[in-house]
Amino acid sequence: MPRFVLPRSVKQHLIWLKKPIETIPENQWTYWRNKLTQLNHPNPEISVVLIARNEEDRILCTLSSVAEFDTSIPIELLVVNNDSSDKTTEILRRLGVKTIVEKKVGAGPARQCGLSQAKGKYVVTGDTDTVYLPDWHIQMTAPLVSEPKVSGTYSMHVLYTDDMLYPVELHIYQYLKHANKFLHSLKRPHLNCGGASMAFRREDALEAGGYNIDLIRWEDGSLAFELSKKGKLKMVKSRRAYIYTSNRRMRADGKIGRAFFIRVKKQLNNFTDYFTQLRN
């Protein structure tokens, strides 16, 4: 199977994409509630912290996948509701998910809010437009458990389209994106660290000052850079750590070809960054 084809286990959660919540049967809500209740250990080893702002179209896909998480390691699930004005709040309430409200809009404030409330030794961050595999959180934290010199981890993002088709040009785009991550990993691995799939020790993140809540973007890379001063940032290469996220941000730039051109141009303008280390 090609590396970036959507597995069946991911597609089964994408059936809830943009599904009107009024059409979902009560027994499905009950199933999700019962499963998600298990992700509320009083003394968690791992805190999974997701952020959400107006994600009514996609959050059910995420939480449907999270409901299937491996609970062999004590885990807590926290969702930071970043002042949503759509049905995100209602969905979280119906599912009984532990929710924290952050009124200051922005990924930085939302992630910092989640970090401040997390109780686990390890924090794994995610988004609510993304589908996760059952042991993603375990794969992400395994290097932190076994390798003291590792201070943070990240994994590959696989894009999905709303129609769940996978045209050839999207395959090409994904392979080139993978190559870009590899090149960044040589000298500037913090540029690979996205909040949709990142893990670290809670104590290390707090000592580093947490997230920069004043940044409009790159709050995750900024924290990763601070963590890189404490140890190595490691890519988790296992496909079980892959995440499957919406291509809507790429679509904002137009067709795939245009989105690709914009990103290639940006990387060529900063080509020397691949071979130089950012100074502390």
Side-chain angles (χ1 to χ4, degrees):
M1 181 179 72
R3 181 182 296 271
F4 298 116
V5 168
L6 295 180
R8 185 176 302 174
S9 59
V10 170
K11 289 183 178 180
Q12 71 180 7
H13 300 297
L14 290 175
I15 65 172
W16 307 110
L17 181 66
K18 299 183 179 180
K19 188 87 166 177
I21 63 174
E22 299 81 7
T23 66
I24 299 173
E26 186 56 39
N27 63 343
Q28 183 63 56
W29 290 101
T30 300
Y31 174 81
W32 282 329
R33 278 195 301 271
N34 291 339
K35 295 286 283 187
L36 290 167
T37 298
Q38 299 175 36
L39 309 181
N40 193 24
H41 198 282
N43 297 298
E45 184 79 1
I46 299 172
S47 295
V48 174
V49 181
L50 311 179
I51 63 172
R53 175 168 169 79
N54 296 334
E55 288 288 3
E56 66 175 1
D57 286 344
R58 301 174 190 276
I59 193 171
L60 280 175
C61 301
T62 299
L63 294 177
S64 174
S65 69
V66 171
E68 303 303 327
F69 272 8
D70 183 336
T71 57
S72 59
I73 296 176
I75 178 178
E76 71 168 346
L77 170 66
L78 302 176
V79 178
V80 179
N81 185 351
N82 196 199
D83 202 29
S84 296
S85 58
D86 66 355
K87 294 181 180 178
T88 297
T89 301
E90 180 182 351
I91 291 168
L92 291 170
R93 178 186 58 78
R94 290 191 67 173
L95 291 176
V97 174
K98 184 176 180 180
T99 305
I100 312 159
V101 176
E102 173 53 60
K103 289 291 187 179
K104 184 174 181 179
V105 174
R111 294 202 191 281
Q112 181 61 25
C113 176
L115 173 60
S116 69
Q117 296 294 316
K119 295 186 292 186
K121 180 177 181 180
Y122 306 101
V123 175
V124 186
T125 67
D127 288 341
T128 46
D129 63 350
T130 303
V131 173
Y132 297 97
L133 298 179
D135 66 340
W136 162 74
H137 56 299
I138 296 176
Q139 294 291 321
M140 292 296 292
T141 53
L144 295 167
V145 174
S146 62
E147 302 176 51
K149 292 184 179 180
V150 171
S151 59
T153 64
Y154 58 93
S155 68
M156 279 298 299
H157 296 48
V158 179
L159 300 176
Y160 69 78
T161 59
D162 286 0
D163 56 12
M164 285 187 274
L165 299 177
Y166 226 85
V168 172
E169 57 265 35
L170 188 54
H171 272 287
I172 296 171
Y173 177 86
Q174 289 270 250
Y175 279 110
L176 292 171
K177 184 177 180 182
H178 193 137
N180 183 54
K181 276 187 175 284
F182 172 76
L183 289 171
H184 274 147
S185 70
L186 299 176
K187 296 292 184 180
R188 300 192 181 193
H190 65 282
L191 296 177
N192 289 334
C193 295
S197 184
M198 181 176 169
F200 45 81
R201 297 179 188 86
R202 179 172 58 90
E203 182 178 346
D204 286 347
L206 292 174
E207 287 180 359
Y211 293 95
N212 185 334
I213 64 173
D214 296 321
L215 290 177
I216 297 175
R217 297 183 64 190
W218 307 117
E219 81 294 334
D220 36 24
S222 175
L223 175 58
F225 178 65
E226 295 302 319
L227 290 172
S228 71
K229 299 174 184 179
K230 292 178 172 290
K232 178 183 178 182
L233 300 176
K234 183 172 183 177
M235 179 189 288
V236 181
K237 297 179 180 179
S238 169
R239 294 191 188 186
R240 289 152 61 190
Y242 281 16
I243 66 167
Y244 299 83
T245 193
S246 168
N247 73 332
R248 60 182 173 171
R249 293 176 182 84
M250 186 186 76
R251 289 202 317 271
D253 292 325
K255 293 184 178 181
I256 292 174
R258 174 173 166 77
F260 171 69
F261 175 77
I262 290 172
R263 285 156 177 77
V264 168
K265 183 179 179 181
K266 178 182 177 182
Q267 296 306 324
L268 288 176
N269 287 339
N270 300 286
F271 184 71
T272 57
D273 289 355
Y274 288 126
F275 310 104
T276 58
Q277 190 167 2
L278 193 63
R279 295 178 183 272
N280 289 346

